[in-house]
Amino acid sequence: MTELMWDGKYKDGKKVGPVRIALPFQAVETVNETAQERQLTLDSLFSGRPTEWRNRLIWGDKKYVLPSLLPEFAGKVNLIYIDPPFATGADFSFTASIPEGNESFTKAPSMVETKAYRDTWGRGLDGYLQWFYETSVVLRELLSEDGSIYVHCDYHVGHYIKAVLDEIFGADNFKNEIVWKRSLPHNDPKKYGAIHDIILFFTKGNIYQFNQQFTEQSEEYKMSHYTQKDLDGRIYRLQSLSASGNGPARVFGDRLISPPKGTHWRYSQERIDELLEKGLIVFTSTGQPNYKRYLDESKGSALQSIWTDINPLNPQAIERLNYPTQKPETLLERIISTSSNEGDLILDCFCGSGTTAAVAEKLGRRWITCDLGRFAIHTTRKRLLSIENVRPF
């Protein structure tokens, strides 16, 4: 196996693993809980019955938060999305604008954040890779057997992160490198404009949740492909019924037709009979059967690995919180809708502005998110409370 090496990965011939201390969580408050709901929770606690699920917004260093989640959630998280820092030398300070007026303030890192910064970047890239490696090891343990993880990064460390994830999750479980066009074209002197991020999609095993997503077809595509019209005016195109890979002949009405050499018919005999009965199979002049696909029944084009249809947040966006690194909700909607179902558990240990938690809440998923920055926790708390009928957390 090819392995990425860095200073500090091994000590005394053994890999340096993550912290394994499970610290108790302290519930500071339960937000948006009615008095009746609070009493039911207390009754459950005193009676020994399981309490109703509460989503969790955790303030703390993921170095300690993630191991503390293991006793309860190991193998139970269905989807993980993380957007870790990936600009070498990044710190926890940032500048935010104040809506009233044109003023701004700089949020300086706290002592706790400063220590976390030293732990992550204190040894440069070596320190970052060790930090990411230890984090990913615990994330894999939290992931369910049919779970998925998406790691958002860019050209600074993306190639290193891919190698680390290959080692932890297995190269066979790497599914996609998604390219997201995150900004408009701009001029970078003496190099090509860097306008995209990458999102690495891994699964824990061969069986995983994947709900196919579709994008709307362009007018050009519709005009060039949907060129046929029924007597009733419905527009359609003809699609081949064959696919690569050898297969047997099928009966089409009163004819036994073999697929073209090196291909097989896409459908079973029963399905072919059904399509014939509905008039959805059309024969070409050469006698080859094709499927009649109507435009008004099309879901669109299957989503590919290059995403250019999700715009970055602009200064006027309603959801904009003036938080650095904030991602658009449509980006998380796509990921969460694809790789989870309603009621599934979503984890994001780089909370930031709370986009993952907000989208998971709106899509009916359970969620856990954490961040070391107090400003991130306050921003997320306020954002969640702006959601109509947000569940207690």
Side-chain angles (χ1 to χ4, degrees):
M1 179 186 76
T2 303
E3 180 180 354
L4 180 66
M5 300 295 291
W6 59 84
D7 185 27
K9 184 176 184 179
Y10 285 87
K11 183 177 181 180
D12 299 328
K14 296 181 180 180
K15 289 181 182 177
V16 177
V19 171
R20 293 287 181 178
I21 302 173
L23 301 174
F25 291 107
Q26 177 186 357
V28 177
E29 62 175 336
T30 301
V31 183
N32 210 39
E33 183 180 48
T34 65
Q36 184 180 10
E37 289 170 328
R38 189 177 300 111
Q39 187 59 51
L40 288 173
T41 299
L42 291 173
D43 291 344
S44 297
L45 286 171
F46 288 128
S47 65
R49 298 193 307 270
T51 57
E52 186 179 350
W53 168 261
R54 292 288 185 266
N55 293 317
R56 304 187 186 187
L57 172 60
I58 304 171
W59 179 30
D61 190 337
K62 64 192 62 60
K63 180 178 181 179
Y64 303 104
V65 171
L66 295 179
S68 300
L69 291 172
L70 284 173
E72 185 176 357
F73 296 107
K76 296 181 180 179
V77 177
N78 303 101
L79 170 63
I80 297 171
Y81 168 85
I82 58 173
D83 181 15
F86 43 77
T88 304
D91 59 27
F92 289 90
S93 66
F94 60 84
T95 300
S97 62
I98 301 173
E100 294 78 13
N102 297 318
E103 299 181 5
S104 65
F105 71 93
T106 299
K107 185 268 180 193
S110 66
M111 291 182 63
V112 176
E113 290 170 327
T114 300
K115 181 183 183 303
Y117 168 75
R118 287 200 308 267
D119 290 346
T120 306
W121 298 105
R123 295 186 294 113
L125 183 59
D126 289 330
Y128 178 84
L129 291 175
Q130 183 62 33
W131 167 82
F132 183 78
Y133 171 82
E134 293 178 12
T135 300
S136 299
V137 167
V138 183
L139 289 176
R140 186 184 183 281
E141 294 178 28
L142 288 165
L143 202 59
S144 64
E145 292 304 313
D146 61 350
S148 304
I149 181 171
Y150 290 74
V151 180
H152 195 134
C153 48
D154 77 351
Y155 67 91
H156 289 95
V157 293
H159 42 301
Y160 298 112
I161 283 178
K162 168 65 166 58
V164 173
L165 293 171
D166 279 342
E167 180 178 339
I168 294 171
F169 288 88
D172 292 341
N173 290 322
F174 171 62
K175 295 298 178 284
N176 282 108
E177 177 186 83
I178 299 163
V179 174
W180 173 47
K181 183 183 175 184
R182 60 170 172 75
S183 68
L184 296 173
H186 55 81
N187 180 36
D188 284 345
K190 297 187 177 181
K191 67 174 185 177
Y192 301 110
I195 62 171
H196 78 277
D197 286 351
I198 61 174
I199 304 172
L200 302 172
F201 168 33
F202 278 78
T203 61
K204 193 170 183 178
N206 294 326
I207 300 174
Y208 55 95
Q209 185 62 46
F210 191 84
N211 304 311
Q212 179 71 66
Q213 303 293 305
F214 298 88
T215 56
E216 181 155 359
Q217 295 159 338
S218 68
E219 290 302 318
E220 275 187 326
Y221 181 89
K222 293 175 185 177
M223 293 286 289
S224 62
H225 286 72
Y226 289 89
T227 58
Q228 311 290 326
K229 184 182 290 188
D230 270 345
L231 294 177
D232 60 3
R234 292 183 73 191
I235 299 173
Y236 67 91
R237 69 182 178 93
L238 296 180
Q239 180 179 347
S240 174
L241 280 173
S242 62
S244 60
N246 295 318
R250 300 288 191 202
V251 176
F252 291 82
D254 57 356
R255 288 181 288 174
L256 180 68
I257 303 179
S258 297
K261 186 176 180 180
T263 69
H264 68 280
W265 297 122
R266 295 176 184 271
Y267 302 122
S268 65
Q269 185 63 61
E270 291 75 19
R271 178 61 173 159
I272 288 173
D273 294 341
E274 180 184 344
L275 294 175
L276 282 168
E277 186 177 346
K278 293 180 177 179
L280 294 178
I281 290 182
V282 176
F283 294 90
T284 65
S285 58
T286 60
Q288 284 298 307
N290 282 261
Y291 177 65
K292 183 187 285 189
R293 185 174 292 280
Y294 286 103
L295 176 60
D296 57 17
E297 293 180 348
S298 174
K299 295 179 180 179
S301 299
L303 183 63
Q304 306 297 300
S305 62
I306 298 179
W307 298 356
T308 60
D309 59 331
I310 297 179
N311 296 322
L313 291 176
N314 63 65
Q316 286 75 42
I318 295 175
E319 66 187 81
R320 188 176 181 87
L321 301 171
N322 292 319
Y323 192 96
T325 75
Q326 181 182 351
K327 301 301 184 291
E329 290 194 4
T330 48
L331 182 68
L332 271 298
E333 285 171 7
R334 177 169 289 177
I335 291 171
I336 292 174
S337 297
T338 300
S339 292
S340 71
N341 294 317
E342 190 170 345
D344 281 352
L345 180 57
I346 316 298
L347 171 65
D348 181 354
C349 59
F350 296 87
C351 177
S353 64
T355 304
T356 302
V359 173
E361 177 69 27
K362 293 175 183 178
L363 294 179
R365 273 64 166 174
R366 297 174 298 139
W367 52 265
I368 300 173
T369 190
C370 73
D371 203 288
L372 180 59
R374 182 180 295 182
F375 188 75
I377 297 298
H378 287 325
T379 301
T380 300
R381 181 184 183 278
K382 182 178 179 180
R383 181 177 190 173
L384 290 167
L385 287 174
S386 72
I387 299 174
E388 186 176 0
N389 298 321
V390 64
R391 293 167 295 177
F393 62 92

